[in-house]
Amino acid sequence: MSASTHFRPAGGFVGDVIPFEQDGTVWLYYLLDTRDPRRPLDREQGMPWAAVTTTDFATFTDRGVVLPSAGPGAEDFDCYTGSVVTDDDGLLHLFYTGHNPRIRTADGDVQVVCHATSAGDPAVWTRHPEWTFGALDGYAPEDWRDPFVFRTAPGEPWQLLLAARRADAPSRRSGLVARLVSDDLVHWRDAAPLWDPRRFIAQECPDVFQWGEHWYLVYSEFSDSFQTRYRIGDSPEGPWRAPEHDTVDGRAFYASKTVELDGERHFIGWIASKEGERDAGAWQWAGTMAVLRATQAPGGALSFGLPRSVVALYDDARDLRPELAPLDDADGAPGHGALDRYAAWLGPEVPAETLLVAEFDIAAGTQACGLLLRAGDDGEEAYALRLEPQRDRIVFDRWPRGTTGGEQWQIRGDVPHAVELERPVPLAPGRHTVEVHLDHDLCVVVVDDRVALSTRLYDRPSGRVGVFATDGEFELVRLEARLRS
């Protein structure tokens, strides 16, 4: 069993996750990224599928590699994202993207749809290279990936969705969710695209599911920003409308797909690592597995929070409010006396793995307030989760943000917070709850069990917790550090 509630394999990283539920156990297949430093053409083995299983999204059993690379000469040298389904006879079908850097067109590497089957063991697969197929006419052969297979009801034809591009369109507007249909999961025929928004380069990792009267299309994009988004439809044909806030998380959480377990829908993706394991490092592809629990509003919009089983693990609560001390002559009562200034209150150091729960009763007109994480003794250097009621958003910030030189005025004051780490959330005056799941260098923030923001904390592995206010006030109703008992 994995000790962390966020799985990462020894010696590797988690890429795109492909969830599949069987008899109450969720198989979380994933692309195993070993970060092999050799050039692709120098490698003898490409990317495999590995897997972990879980029954609660809090504990995981590592199943190792389940679909290895087919070797240097195969179309599936690299085994990329796909899906798993069970047919009416109980046979399991695994669809995945095949890629080989040795097979190219003038415009890039070719991607194909590959197929494997299993008699029932989700860890044992037989390849069927005779069923492999590439892009149909009119589609770019370099982007023909992430096959997602489903059907709208038993007995209906199977549908296969693909992250694809039109061959004759400008690149940024060429991405669409292509669709094929089949009666036997082997022979596929072209059908009208499921969604053609003329907006993105590609809609990666498409996923469709029904929840009550609504249908959902989930996808990840890297055109406007690196994020997982969703759309809502009244039928499996769409039209696919955007909710007011259509993102699942921020920049760090990517390539999420979904699965239902025990009546609840969960989104599983990865929190990206950063180059050099530094806060200022560039985001990398792949990282550590992460899970969010979705809830549904009456109009179909989704909210996101921590899995219930993860929260239940942290059942040893410590009230931190009595341990908060003011900084710089702040008012003695945390949250008060900051009507025309910045004020902060620091508490104790908390373990690297902690669930912090804070409840703020925010006064009208407050510009900002929030939590300091892993702060120094004077509160100057810290990570900050800043609630901004005037903008109805939460942002992740850190100080120092960086400099362009050694002079005082060369502080990166032009960077208001960590790039792409902001999330819209309604912050009307009144009570708001912030959960912060710290898992060593991982941080997952949830506001009001509604909005999630994930990131990495590399540079400061430890430090004190605190609260702050800017030009306003709040009542600190609760501040707890919860540990595993």
Side-chain angles (χ1 to χ4, degrees):
M1 292 289 184
S2 172
S4 173
T5 57
H6 296 91
F7 174 80
R8 183 186 144 189
F13 297 84
V14 174
D16 301 353
V17 181
I18 301 99
F20 170 67
E21 187 272 335
Q22 184 184 63
D23 300 327
T25 295
V26 176
W27 286 75
L28 297 170
Y29 301 100
Y30 64 93
L31 309 189
L32 174 57
D33 184 11
T34 61
R35 304 257 167 100
D36 190 329
R38 293 175 296 176
R39 295 184 313 119
L41 294 178
D42 294 335
R43 300 172 190 166
E44 295 181 0
Q45 297 295 321
M47 181 169 288
W49 277 30
V52 295
T53 53
T54 185
T55 58
D56 58 8
F57 297 108
T59 56
F60 303 92
T61 301
D62 191 351
R63 303 289 182 168
V65 171
V66 297
L67 186 72
S69 165
E75 291 180 288
D76 52 345
F77 170 77
D78 290 313
C79 304
Y80 290 159
T81 308
S83 59
V84 177
V85 295
T86 306
D87 69 18
D88 294 330
D89 297 321
L91 188 68
L92 304 183
H93 295 256
L94 186 155
F95 294 86
Y96 62 106
T97 306
H99 166 264
N100 190 326
R102 300 162 184 83
I103 304 173
R104 294 179 55 84
T105 68
D107 295 322
D109 299 352
V110 171
Q111 297 177 341
V112 295
V113 174
C114 301
H115 194 160
T117 59
S118 168
D121 186 345
V124 179
W125 297 96
T126 299
R127 282 177 160 92
H128 297 280
E130 68 276 14
W131 295 342
T132 297
F133 64 92
L136 304 185
D137 288 344
Y139 295 104
E142 302 83 17
D143 289 282
W144 187 250
R145 64 179 175 273
D146 306 343
F148 177 77
V149 176
F150 75 109
R151 56 184 176 182
T152 57
E156 291 294 313
W158 294 93
Q159 300 190 40
L160 186 150
L161 306 182
L162 289 155
R165 284 193 305 110
R166 292 192 183 279
D168 58 353
S171 177
R172 187 175 178 271
R173 302 196 300 275
S174 63
L176 75 166
V177 180
R179 176 167 52 177
L180 285 68
V181 295
S182 173
D183 299 315
D184 60 5
L185 291 170
V186 174
H187 302 92
W188 295 93
R189 55 190 182 273
D190 198 8
L194 186 74
W195 191 43
D196 187 3
R198 310 296 173 106
R199 178 179 172 185
F200 303 118
I201 297 172
Q203 293 82 28
E204 296 194 299
C205 304
D207 186 337
V208 168
F209 63 91
Q210 185 179 16
W211 191 345
E213 62 184 20
H214 300 293
W215 286 82
Y216 294 85
L217 168 63
V218 180
Y219 64 97
S220 293
E221 59 97 358
F222 50 84
S223 305
D224 295 350
S225 60
F226 275 81
Q227 285 188 290
T228 299
R229 302 179 184 268
Y230 74 96
R231 294 289 186 267
I232 306 172
D234 296 327
S235 81
E237 302 293 324
W240 301 105
R241 62 184 182 274
E244 181 181 4
H245 302 303
D246 68 343
T247 54
V248 173
D249 199 317
R251 167 63 177 88
F253 182 84
Y254 193 70
S256 176
K257 294 170 78 70
T258 80
V259 70
E260 182 181 330
L261 181 66
D262 296 331
E264 291 194 312
R265 178 67 52 171
H266 291 81
F267 283 62
I268 307 97
W270 42 267
I271 297 176
S273 58
K274 283 193 162 187
E275 196 172 86
E277 296 189 346
R278 299 176 299 110
D279 288 341
W283 294 109
Q284 296 174 305
W285 188 88
T288 306
M289 190 179 295
V291 183
L292 296 173
R293 171 182 52 84
T295 54
Q296 185 187 53
L302 300 179
S303 297
F304 300 95
L306 297 170
R308 299 184 196 278
S309 55
V310 170
V311 173
L313 285 177
Y314 298 87
D315 56 359
D316 182 8
R318 170 185 173 187
D319 186 356
L320 300 182
R321 290 175 300 171
E323 302 179 61
L324 292 172
L327 290 177
D328 303 333
D329 300 317
D331 191 275
H336 290 258
L339 293 175
D340 62 351
R341 57 171 287 183
Y342 169 86
W345 297 261
L346 275 187
E349 183 172 329
V350 296
E353 183 189 355
T354 312
L355 178 63
L356 294 172
V357 182
E359 189 173 355
F360 299 88
D361 193 340
I362 302 174
T366 297
Q367 185 186 73
C369 62
L371 286 166
L372 299 175
L373 304 175
R374 298 181 179 174
D377 289 339
D378 62 0
E380 179 74 359
E381 295 189 1
Y383 300 109
L385 296 172
R386 191 166 65 243
L387 301 171
E388 299 181 346
Q390 295 175 345
R391 296 182 174 90
D392 278 333
R393 71 177 182 178
I394 181 172
V395 302
F396 176 82
D397 199 0
R398 64 186 177 96
W399 191 267
R401 297 185 187 123
T403 65
T404 59
E407 302 297 334
Q408 184 183 44
W409 59 85
Q410 292 175 317
I411 289 287
R412 293 296 302 273
D414 57 333
V415 179
H417 55 268
V419 176
E420 295 184 296
L421 292 182
E422 63 176 274
R423 299 282 287 130
V425 58
L427 292 171
R431 293 194 178 190
H432 298 278
T433 300
V434 181
E435 297 170 292
V436 182
H437 186 196
L438 298 172
D439 190 357
H440 301 274
D441 63 11
L442 297 168
C443 175
V444 181
V445 182
V446 173
V447 181
D448 292 336
D449 203 31
R450 182 173 187 172
V451 172
L453 176 64
S454 302
T455 189
R456 293 278 183 174
L457 309 179
Y458 283 121
D459 293 355
R460 301 189 62 81
S462 61
R464 301 170 68 175
V465 66
V467 296
F468 68 91
T470 302
D471 294 316
E473 292 188 325
F474 63 85
E475 186 78 30
L476 187 60
V477 179
R478 179 170 42 148
L479 179 60
E480 296 176 344
R482 297 183 181 179
L483 308 179
R484 296 199 206 191
S485 60

